[in-house]
């Protein structure tokens, strides 16, 4: 599905995130993308950062229909980002979505962050359901840069559809936008995932009944990577990072080697 004429509203765009339906990132995204299509918002009722690709199985999922400027339809979902996408596709809308955009996330999703990110997982869920999908993150926690990030996202979508380029099945785009003024962004790089290391720490505390509990904290270890084609390096150098992701995690280079371990000779 593509734009016949850029600017005409001919597709349904599903917008979601992991920061919650009231987050400034998703509000900026709705405002910008409303020029391109009919916006359907399905986002968590509360923040679901670092929820990964979890889905709700052991309790009912409460849903609240909303009226949000710039959207054709909107729902707040008391569940995970993946829940939001599943419900929007399977229950909320009978018409197909031409595009899913998850974000704009408050903070980057670089390297191994994608394994934890609810933002990226929502886009993965979209791809699983056959929707061209992208996750968009702002590598900053400054609200003033969301309008720039939303404008860049719209430009990327217009370019992709103008060139009639389509993602293959089971693939999505992970986009990270530097947290700087638009004039300072140098351009775009197609990148690969890098390493993302955290100095995890746990602060032990005791509740009033004497039971121990822990708060996780820590900080990002400064990257040693210098390869300009790595996502974190590109963002550090003030380029928009665009990383094609697939969710087939098979290490094909090792299949033959593991076969040679003789595991088939084990007698059960």
């Amino acid at each position: 599905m593509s734009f016949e004429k850029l600017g005409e509203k001919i597709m349904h765009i599903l917008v979601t995130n992991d920061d919650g339906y009231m987050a400034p990132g998703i509000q900026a995204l709705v405002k910008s993308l409303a020029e391109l299509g009919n916006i359907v918002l399905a986002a968590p009722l509360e923040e679901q950062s670092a929820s990964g690709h979890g889905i709700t199985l052991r309790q009912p999922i409460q849903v609240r229909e909303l009226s949000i400027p710039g959207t054709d339809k909107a729902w707040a979902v008391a569940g995970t980002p993946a829940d939001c996408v599943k419900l929007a596709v399977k229950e909320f809308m009978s018409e197909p979505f031409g595009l899913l955009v998850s974000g704009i996330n408050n903070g980057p999703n670089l390297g191994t962050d994608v394994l934890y990110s609810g933002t990226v997982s929502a886009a993965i869920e979209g791809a699983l359901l056959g929707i061209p999908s992208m996750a968009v993150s702002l590598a900053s926690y400054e609200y003033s840069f969301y309008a720039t990030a939303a404008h860049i996202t719209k430009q990327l979508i217009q370019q992709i559809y103008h060139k009639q380029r389509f993602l293959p099945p089971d693939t999505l785009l992970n986009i990270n936008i530097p947290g700087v003024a638009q004039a300072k962004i140098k351009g775009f790089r197609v990148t690969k995932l890098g390493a993302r290391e955290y100095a995890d720490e746990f602060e032990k505390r005791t509740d009033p009944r004497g039971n121990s509990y822990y708060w996780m904290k820590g900080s990002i270890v400064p990257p040693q990577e210098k390869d300009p084609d790595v996502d974190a390096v590109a963002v550090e150098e003030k380029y928009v990072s665009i990383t094609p992701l697939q969710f087939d995690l098979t290490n094909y280079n090792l299949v033959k080697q593991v076969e040679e371990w003789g595991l088939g000779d084990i007698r059960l």
Side-chain angles (χ1 to χ4, degrees):
M1 186 179 296
S2 62
F3 294 108
E4 294 175 353
K5 295 180 181 178
L6 292 179
E8 290 188 2
K9 294 184 176 182
I10 65 165
M11 67 153 69
H12 289 292
I13 301 174
L14 175 57
V15 173
T16 188
N17 69 357
D18 72 358
D19 290 322
Y21 77 99
M22 289 292 290
I26 201 170
Q27 293 178 28
L29 195 60
V30 165
K31 184 177 180 180
S32 182
L33 299 191
E35 300 175 16
L36 301 183
N38 300 312
I39 304 299
V40 175
L41 183 150
L45 181 65
E46 298 177 344
E47 184 179 349
Q48 295 286 326
S49 296
S51 61
H53 207 123
I55 56 176
T56 303
L57 296 177
R58 294 178 177 82
Q59 62 189 49
I61 305 172
Q62 295 183 338
V63 173
R64 181 188 304 169
E65 190 163 2
L66 307 168
S67 178
I68 295 179
T71 67
D72 282 38
K73 296 178 181 295
W75 290 269
V77 178
T80 68
D83 289 334
C84 296
V85 176
K86 285 180 179 291
L87 282 166
V89 174
K90 299 294 185 179
E91 291 293 327
F92 297 160
M93 292 289 290
S94 58
E95 299 178 51
F97 290 104
L99 177 67
L100 180 150
V101 185
S102 180
I104 299 167
N105 190 67
N106 184 28
N109 278 303
L110 298 162
T112 46
D113 288 345
V114 302
L115 300 175
Y116 304 102
S117 169
T119 298
V120 176
S121 293
I124 291 173
E125 186 64 36
L128 282 168
L129 294 170
I131 306 169
S133 299
M134 60 177 65
V136 183
S137 302
L138 175 64
S140 171
Y141 298 95
E142 294 291 333
Y143 290 179
S144 59
F145 297 128
Y146 279 118
T148 293
H151 176 68
I152 288 171
T153 303
K154 182 175 75 171
Q155 287 183 308
L156 283 169
I157 293 169
Q158 288 177 311
Q159 179 70 3
I160 291 167
Y161 280 85
H162 179 70
K163 294 290 187 180
Q164 297 191 11
R165 305 302 188 200
F166 309 104
L167 291 170
D170 304 337
T171 305
L172 60 137
L173 296 180
N174 185 43
I175 298 165
N176 282 273
I177 300 170
V180 296
Q182 185 169 329
K184 294 184 178 181
I185 294 178
K186 297 178 181 178
F188 301 83
R189 277 187 194 163
V190 179
T191 56
K192 56 188 177 184
L193 292 179
R196 186 81 159 158
E197 186 178 350
Y198 290 85
D200 292 331
E201 298 178 20
F202 293 89
E203 183 175 320
K204 185 177 181 180
R205 300 181 182 181
T206 305
D207 69 18
R209 297 187 179 184
N211 300 309
S212 297
Y213 67 96
Y214 294 84
W215 273 107
M216 186 177 182
K217 60 179 184 177
S219 58
I220 299 172
V221 177
Q224 303 300 312
E225 186 70 65
K226 301 301 181 184
D227 185 345
D229 292 330
V230 165
D231 54 0
V233 176
V235 170
E236 181 68 23
E237 294 180 353
K238 297 183 175 55
Y239 287 87
V240 177
S241 167
I242 305 169
T243 310
L245 301 180
Q246 61 183 7
F247 38 81
D248 180 354
L249 300 180
T250 307
N251 188 335
Y252 290 99
N253 292 328
L254 284 183
V255 169
K256 199 69 179 175
Q257 181 178 329
V258 174
E259 287 176 348
E260 294 171 355
W261 291 357
L263 303 180
D265 298 332
I266 297 174
R267 293 293 176 259
L268 302 177

